[in-house]
Amino acid sequence: MSAGPEWLANPWKQNPWFESVAVAQERARRRLPAPVYGALVAGSERGQTVDDNQAAFSEIGLSPHVAGHQAHRTMSRMLMGQEISLPVVISPTGVQAVHPDGEVAVARAAAARGTIMGLSNFASKSVEEVTATGATTFFQMYWTGDRDVMVQRMQRAHDAGALGLIATLDWSFSMGRDWGSPEIPEKVDLRTMVRMAPKVLTRPRWLYQFGRAGAIPDLTAPNLARPGETTGPTFFAAYYEWMTTPPPSWDDVAWMREQWHQISGRPFMLKGVGRVDDALRAVDAGVAALSVSNHGGNNLDGTPAAIRLVQPIAERVGGQVEVVMDGGVRRGSDVVKAVALGARAVLIGRAYLWGLAANGQAGVENVLDVLRSGIDSALLGLGVASLDELTPEHVLVPDGFHRSIGAPD
């Protein structure tokens, strides 16, 4: 990917292209107000799981060949009935106040790079706006509200053109963070803007983006609007609905999957699986796919890194359902390691949000290009022509790395 003509005409202006997710993160840090950036990087309690999600990848090695490489390599595959050009999928994340175009920009980037857009029901853009971009969209739901409300949300997603449903059930959202929780206002009104002005005014480029778009950061969730309502609830109202909804049983998971099947006949993914016994129960509930995940470190702190859980789960259920993972992916080599251990694809969250903050749609495309390049380099070095050739023998995993939790004897 080359720098655009705008930068070539003015070399003193910062090159909008970045060569790594780490650079995207640094640009996002410099561009975003501290509370917004803090919300992106925050994890539960002391952040042990957030740190382990990334550190665990560094424990896995690769052993490249010196000759006999494949001149032509491919990384496309099928996931939940959809062909994707690389095994990297946009994970659903809530309220994207990092850029005025939010999820619409992310969806356009996903469509441009041939992958799937995961859309949160806590998103700042409606499912109708997102599917109108032409992106292959999977709609994500929490277990919130009563059953009639959940069926209405499924029906709306189907009617808008969502091709899959992702149920996220692993969110425990501990309020305690050792470094303090980022401030998220109930709503952005004049009083809030005045109160937060000292922090916001230190990031004029971020403020200018929203001003130019004639918008203010939207902290409502339009996909949670009830029939007949024109606007969705605020983030905190949505959070209250989640807190006051009794947590689901495995029968509820099966019910949710069945309702979506009756409405659409389309596949259902369960996100947040970290135990072998839960993976087996998910198979019994009829899911098409499951995501090995700890909610990016925002679940219970001390949960093992997701990559440590992949192989034990994939070995037990990978022949029955598609296994994906999310958590800590920052490089193409991370993707290759996950696939070698049994994941069909990975989901990314913070990585694309940093790209969105750094350069909008083009920044998300840039992140996907960085990962694609890294995947290709790893395939080249390992001497394989496709992802399907990857096996655990292609990675060097230290003793005691894997965490097989809840595996039946």
Side-chain angles (χ1 to χ4, degrees):
M1 183 176 179
S2 60
E6 180 183 0
W7 181 77
L8 291 175
N10 183 4
W12 291 274
K13 185 176 181 179
Q14 177 176 274
N15 183 353
W17 181 81
F18 42 83
E19 63 182 10
S20 69
V21 173
V23 174
Q25 179 180 358
E26 175 58 21
R27 292 191 183 177
R29 186 190 66 79
R30 295 200 306 260
R31 179 180 291 266
L32 296 173
V36 179
Y37 180 74
L40 292 187
V41 298
S44 296
E45 297 179 333
R46 63 180 174 183
Q48 176 181 338
T49 297
V50 171
D51 293 342
D52 195 34
N53 272 347
Q54 292 186 66
F57 278 107
S58 68
E59 296 179 30
I60 303 174
L62 300 170
S63 183
H65 288 285
V66 69
H69 299 140
Q70 304 298 312
H72 303 286
R73 299 166 299 282
T74 178
M75 59 189 77
S76 62
R77 52 185 21 196
M78 300 294 292
L79 178 65
M80 289 175 63
Q82 303 299 318
E83 184 174 2
I84 51 179
S85 69
L86 77 167
V88 180
V89 173
I90 299 298
S91 185
T93 60
V95 187
Q96 296 178 6
V98 302
H99 190 278
D101 293 337
E103 293 86 358
V104 169
V106 177
R108 289 173 178 154
R113 294 302 185 262
T115 193
I116 293 165
M117 170 68 185
L119 179 70
S120 173
N121 64 357
F122 281 7
S124 61
K125 303 293 182 183
S126 71
V127 62
E128 291 83 7
E129 290 176 281
V130 168
T131 56
T133 66
T136 299
T137 303
F138 289 175
F139 186 68
Q140 177 260 359
M141 288 179 56
Y142 292 97
W143 183 263
T144 62
D146 60 36
R147 288 191 169 195
D148 288 343
V149 166
M150 284 185 265
V151 170
Q152 290 167 356
R153 290 169 181 162
M154 292 184 209
Q155 186 67 56
R156 177 181 173 183
H158 168 264
D159 293 346
L163 298 179
L165 190 75
I166 302 173
T168 301
L169 304 181
D170 67 328
W171 191 35
S172 61
F173 200 76
S174 171
M175 294 299 293
R177 294 188 172 104
D178 288 5
W179 52 87
S181 295
E183 181 180 7
I184 302 175
E186 173 72 16
K187 59 182 178 179
V188 180
D189 54 16
L190 181 59
R191 176 178 293 181
T192 301
M193 288 189 285
V194 170
R195 180 171 54 83
M196 301 191 73
K199 297 178 181 178
V200 172
L201 291 176
T202 63
R203 296 294 187 267
R205 285 187 296 173
W206 178 81
L207 189 61
Y208 172 74
Q209 278 185 326
F210 280 92
R212 186 177 181 184
I216 59 175
D218 189 357
L219 300 181
T220 61
N223 295 309
L224 295 180
R226 295 177 181 260
E229 295 179 344
T230 57
T231 60
T234 65
F235 174 84
F236 286 99
Y239 177 63
Y240 177 77
E241 180 183 79
W242 171 76
M243 287 183 64
T244 55
T245 302
S249 66
W250 281 107
D251 287 341
D252 292 327
V253 175
W255 172 85
M256 197 176 192
R257 200 278 316 169
E258 179 61 25
Q259 294 303 308
W260 175 246
H261 180 76
Q262 290 181 11
I263 290 169
S264 70
R266 295 167 182 169
F268 178 99
M269 176 189 291
L270 179 63
K271 188 173 183 291
V273 177
R275 297 172 54 104
V276 174
D277 50 359
D278 281 354
L280 293 168
R281 295 293 297 270
V283 171
D284 292 341
V287 308
L290 59 84
S291 176
V292 179
S293 171
N294 51 45
H295 211 99
N298 282 300
N299 192 8
L300 294 178
D301 198 27
T303 303
I307 190 61
R308 300 186 189 278
L309 307 169
V310 169
Q311 186 171 340
I313 290 174
E315 286 179 342
R316 293 301 296 261
V317 303
Q320 301 166 275
V321 297
E322 294 178 331
V323 175
V324 302
M325 67 80 61
D326 72 84
V329 173
R330 301 290 185 268
R331 299 164 187 84
S333 59
D334 294 342
V335 180
V336 168
K337 292 171 184 178
V339 173
L341 293 177
R344 186 147 195 84
V346 304
L347 283 72
I348 59 170
R350 290 180 176 94
Y352 79 77
L353 289 173
W354 291 326
L356 179 65
N359 198 26
Q361 176 185 338
V364 180
E365 293 174 4
N366 195 157
V367 165
L368 292 170
D369 289 341
V370 165
L371 295 176
R372 183 190 299 275
S373 177
I375 295 168
D376 187 62
S377 294
L379 294 180
L380 173 64
L382 294 172
V384 299
S386 74
L387 298 168
D388 294 334
E389 297 178 33
L390 292 172
T391 69
E393 283 67 42
H394 286 102
V395 292
L396 306 174
V397 181
D399 292 341
F401 177 84
H402 300 296
R403 303 289 188 271
S404 182
I405 305 171
D409 295 331

